[in-house]
Amino acid sequence: MKHTAARTRVLANRALLRITTRVQEGLKEATRRPDRGDISTTTVIIWVAAVTGAVLIAGTIAVVISKYNGKLNGL
């Protein structure tokens, strides 16, 4: 049982070291290149509006099809 706990501790320490190293590298890169291409607020607003519009259109089509499903069978 002690062997398993020790191994778990070693693996956790390695994972923590990898995560810490990766975060530090990311922070160094952000400091070195502050204009690294972050998504602007305007882009996010446009994407949210586009997805919302698509969902509303698809929902409307689904409602219309379900409402008139019996009448559309003969077409």
Side-chain angles (χ1 to χ4, degrees):
M1 191 63 99
K2 286 185 180 181
H3 179 67
T4 304
R7 178 151 173 77
T8 302
R9 236 179 288 126
V10 167
L11 292 175
N13 285 338
R14 284 183 189 165
L16 183 61
L17 180 62
R18 274 190 239 127
I19 291 170
T20 304
T21 304
R22 179 71 176 122
V23 169
Q24 288 174 346
E25 289 172 358
L27 290 173
K28 284 179 189 175
E29 180 69 14
T31 302
R32 189 175 68 82
R33 286 188 336 154
D35 61 336
R36 62 189 188 283
D38 289 338
I39 297 175
S40 69
T41 305
T42 307
T43 304
V44 173
I45 291 171
I46 291 169
W47 273 102
V48 169
V51 170
T52 303
V55 168
L56 287 174
I57 291 169
T60 303
I61 291 170
V63 167
V64 169
I65 287 176
S66 67
K67 184 175 180 179
Y68 295 105
N69 195 21
K71 296 178 182 176
L72 292 176
N73 283 339
L75 294 178

